[in-house]
Amino acid sequence: MLFCTLPVVLIGFLSSVSAADIDSQKPLKESEDASSSALKVTINWDVPIITSKTTNTLQVVVNPPLLRNSSIHSKAQASLSTIAADYIRFVPWFPYPLLSVPEIEAPIILPPDTCITSWNFTYADQLMEDFYTSTPNVSHMINFSTTPGWMWRIPPWQQYEYPRDINAIDFGYNKGTELRDETLQEVADYYERLVSWYVKGGFVDECGVYHHSGHSYVIEYWEILNEIEAEHSMSPSFYNQIYDAIVTAVHKVSPDTKFVGLALGDNSKDMNYFETFLDPANHKPGTPIDFVSYHFYGMPSVSTSDGEAAQSFAQTDQFIVDVKRIEEIRKRLAPNTRSTLNEIGTFDPQGATIIYPGYEVPPEYFVWSGGVFAYVFAKVVVLGIDVVGESQLVGYPGQFPSVSLVDYWSGELNARGRVLHLLQQSFGVGDVVVETLFKGMDLGANVHAQGFVTKNGEKKILLINKLNETAEVNIKGFESGKAEVVDLSTGGKMWRTLKVGGSSFNLTGWATAVLTEV
């Protein structure tokens, strides 16, 4: 959820590839000659590139549709259960202060007799409980990313009142760039108490009063803040200080928890964030850096569906360049730190934070957007990335409906969610990624292909069509089998399965397909 202050608040990675550069051209075309119109793919099953370390998962951003009084609550939770996977990310986020900040008001401490705190977990507990109930037997990355607003020095001209309506969307909460307590003890204590509430059954507040929760959650991973270059505009060195303070505090009450840092949104803006964060010399001795996290969103300008898809796939190629640069830094400075790309998505430019009366995100958008996620996976699995997380379970008008993995009117999986589910069912850690060759493979070809030999010995091929037109694919090394396809004909319904009788396959427009040799 990268936040840039544009006319409205936006999330994600803004590529240097412009709309003007992309709308005037489609991705690289294969030869137009009729005799060679099919894309020729060669799968060298006996030539391994890498053993996959990559898990496909998702993030759940807290918002009112996930509350129990929501009309889509039950269906959304069922959809979550379907696509839950290891490293699933849970983010109570700042547009909903009452859902995300359990201590919304500053303590009132007036010695000797007055001491009042505002700790209230009514909504946070409901959301956390449902999240854990719907995601059993997987590991979790928890990120209460929003620090209480009262901890920050906020200039008089930025003062405001947060909404008391839990359904209100408020992008004005995260203000201030300096904490009022420069020692960082106040923010560290806040997170120590918050985590203690969930893992140790309660905590003692600022007034010496014990608050009992009875909770004993296992929090496998705790992520420190979110998109820090935008939210509170933190410098790399300042973020390191806060990271170290919070990690130390959380570790006291949850010693087995591992930690995730950075959650950077605009990855290409300043690689110094990675250079600074990943260098152990810039942290207190012994501070663990278990995961580094960062994000990407394809952000096309308003165009036709074809144009917006083309822009997003091109921006993805630029993002992959950034991933390679970041990996070089990580391997040099912190080779034992793992990588999670835990917000991956796209925006319909009219499906972000402004509500356009009568506008609905086009159904085809969710199909090609799912293809973008599959394309990211196919490109980064060969780089050894550990986690790819699709954003987000529920979005809705006014709060990024185009990043939703479910139909925001019904709670059922949409095409983006179906693509994620298909990838999860087809590929996993331990698969062997094999050499896959085709024309234009490094130049933005219309169709992308990647071969895998799964842990069970199955030969599978992932195909992504970047265009809204059928592409004939001829696969050398593939005899026959089945294809599982998410495309315009399936939309948010279950993917269709069909027999493949030989090495040629017609890949429909904007389809994501998994071919399995039988």
Side-chain angles (χ1 to χ4, degrees):
M1 293 161 290
L2 161 68
F3 261 69
C4 308
T5 305
L6 298 174
V8 294
V9 180
L10 294 178
I11 63 178
F13 162 79
L14 184 56
S15 171
S16 61
V17 181
S18 70
D21 294 333
I22 303 305
D23 264 359
S24 60
Q25 61 185 37
K26 290 182 176 181
L28 180 71
K29 284 274 190 185
E30 305 305 327
S31 170
E32 298 293 342
D33 186 272
S35 64
S36 60
S37 60
L39 174 66
K40 294 176 174 59
V41 177
T42 299
I43 309 289
N44 292 319
W45 299 108
D46 296 328
V47 181
I49 298 174
I50 191 173
T51 298
S52 174
K53 301 191 296 180
T54 307
T55 298
N56 285 303
T57 189
L58 72 149
Q59 75 156 342
V60 177
V61 175
V62 161
N63 49 35
L66 291 175
L67 291 172
R68 291 172 184 166
N69 64 354
S70 163
S71 63
I72 70 166
H73 172 268
S74 295
K75 289 289 181 63
Q77 294 297 327
S79 293
L80 174 58
S81 295
T82 298
I83 54 177
D86 280 334
Y87 313 109
I88 188 168
R89 186 179 188 235
F90 177 77
V91 188
W93 194 40
F94 77 85
Y96 309 96
L98 287 174
L99 304 184
S100 305
V101 183
E103 193 179 23
I104 196 71
E105 302 287 354
I108 299 173
I109 303 174
L110 300 173
D113 299 322
T114 300
C115 192
I116 302 170
T117 66
S118 64
W119 287 99
N120 186 337
F121 287 86
T122 299
Y123 298 114
D125 271 8
Q126 180 188 135
L127 293 157
M128 186 84 155
E129 179 181 347
D130 289 349
F131 172 72
Y132 266 80
T133 298
S134 297
T135 60
N137 307 315
V138 301
S139 59
H140 308 87
M141 284 188 177
I142 307 300
N143 185 353
F144 277 73
S145 63
T146 307
T147 49
W150 50 265
M151 289 188 178
W152 296 85
R153 293 173 178 162
I154 301 175
W157 59 88
Q158 289 187 335
Q159 296 289 337
Y160 88 118
E161 288 290 323
Y162 63 85
R164 269 56 177 178
D165 179 359
I166 61 170
N167 295 302
I169 302 172
D170 174 34
F171 286 114
Y173 188 75
N174 259 2
K175 297 184 184 297
T177 59
E178 297 179 355
L179 286 165
R180 70 178 193 175
D181 174 19
E182 295 180 357
T183 72
L184 308 184
Q185 191 63 51
E186 188 171 61
V187 69
D189 288 347
Y190 171 79
Y191 280 104
E192 180 178 341
R193 292 185 175 104
L194 195 160
V195 174
S196 185
W197 174 265
Y198 285 115
V199 304
K200 292 181 69 69
F203 63 87
V204 176
D205 71 11
E206 296 92 327
C207 299
V209 176
Y210 182 74
H211 296 254
H212 175 73
S213 71
H215 297 315
S216 56
Y217 292 105
V218 174
I219 296 178
E220 297 90 346
Y221 299 92
W222 188 272
E223 188 175 38
I224 312 300
L225 308 184
N226 181 66
E227 293 182 353
I228 44 87
E229 81 286 3
E231 298 181 22
H232 298 295
S233 302
M234 297 182 189
S235 68
S237 59
F238 183 45
Y239 175 74
N240 275 15
Q241 295 173 42
I242 292 180
Y243 176 90
D244 291 1
I246 294 175
V247 166
T248 300
V250 171
H251 202 256
K252 290 179 187 176
V253 294
S254 191
D256 293 330
T257 293
K258 296 184 183 299
F259 297 94
V260 185
L262 217 53
L264 202 67
D266 192 353
N267 309 303
S268 65
K269 182 178 180 180
D270 188 353
M271 286 290 165
N272 190 42
Y273 280 98
F274 295 97
E275 293 277 359
T276 302
F277 177 71
L278 288 168
D279 189 344
N282 295 325
H283 294 270
K284 292 180 180 178
T287 301
I289 310 172
D290 299 300
F291 265 100
V292 61
S293 57
Y294 52 101
H295 307 158
F296 164 75
Y297 290 88
M299 298 176 68
S301 59
V302 176
S303 181
T304 62
S305 291
D306 285 15
E308 290 174 8
Q311 291 177 56
S312 295
F313 278 110
Q315 291 172 2
T316 303
D317 286 327
Q318 180 59 52
F319 171 63
I320 299 305
V321 173
D322 292 337
V323 173
K324 292 177 180 178
R325 294 171 63 199
I326 294 164
E327 279 295 283
E328 290 174 357
I329 295 169
R330 183 193 63 80
K331 290 175 181 178
R332 171 167 46 86
L333 294 175
N336 294 323
T337 296
R338 302 169 73 193
S339 297
T340 172
L341 318 183
N342 56 10
E343 284 190 37
I344 301 295
T346 62
F347 291 141
D348 172 349
Q350 297 180 82
T353 59
I354 295 177
I355 298 176
Y356 295 90
Y359 181 79
E360 288 284 339
V361 178
E364 68 269 18
Y365 164 87
F366 295 102
V367 176
W368 65 254
S369 178
V372 170
F373 180 80
Y375 184 51
V376 170
F377 163 67
K379 297 290 280 187
V380 304
V381 67
V382 301
L383 301 177
I385 297 299
D386 298 280
V387 182
V388 185
E390 194 166 17
S391 179
Q392 62 189 45
L393 180 64
V394 178
Y396 62 101
Q399 209 272 315
F400 304 102
S402 59
V403 300
S404 188
L405 292 166
V406 302
D407 183 306
Y408 41 80
W409 302 121
S410 71
E412 302 276 3
L413 289 174
N414 61 23
R416 296 184 77 240
R418 292 296 180 191
V419 169
L420 174 60
H421 191 202
L422 177 59
L423 295 176
Q424 291 171 333
Q425 295 293 302
S426 303
F427 309 109
V429 174
D431 294 346
V432 177
V433 186
V434 298
E435 185 177 64
T436 305
L437 305 174
F438 53 95
K439 184 178 179 181
M441 58 186 294
D442 296 320
L443 298 172
N446 297 340
V447 172
H448 188 79
Q450 181 59 60
F452 298 78
V453 178
T454 70
K455 296 187 295 294
N456 298 325
E458 292 184 305
K459 295 178 179 179
K460 291 181 178 285
I461 305 165
L462 174 60
L463 297 173
I464 302 110
N465 190 347
K466 301 178 185 178
L467 299 181
N468 185 21
E469 55 190 57
T470 298
E472 182 184 357
V473 184
N474 189 278
I475 307 169
K476 182 180 179 180
F478 183 86
E479 299 301 326
S480 63
K482 68 174 182 179
E484 296 164 296
V485 184
V486 176
D487 63 7
L488 296 171
S489 72
T490 63
K493 298 176 184 177
M494 192 66 177
W495 54 79
R496 58 191 177 96
T497 302
L498 56 152
K499 292 182 180 179
V500 181
S503 60
S504 290
F505 180 71
N506 286 328
L507 187 65
T508 49
W510 286 328
T512 298
V514 176
L515 276 59
T516 304
E517 189 172 83
V518 178

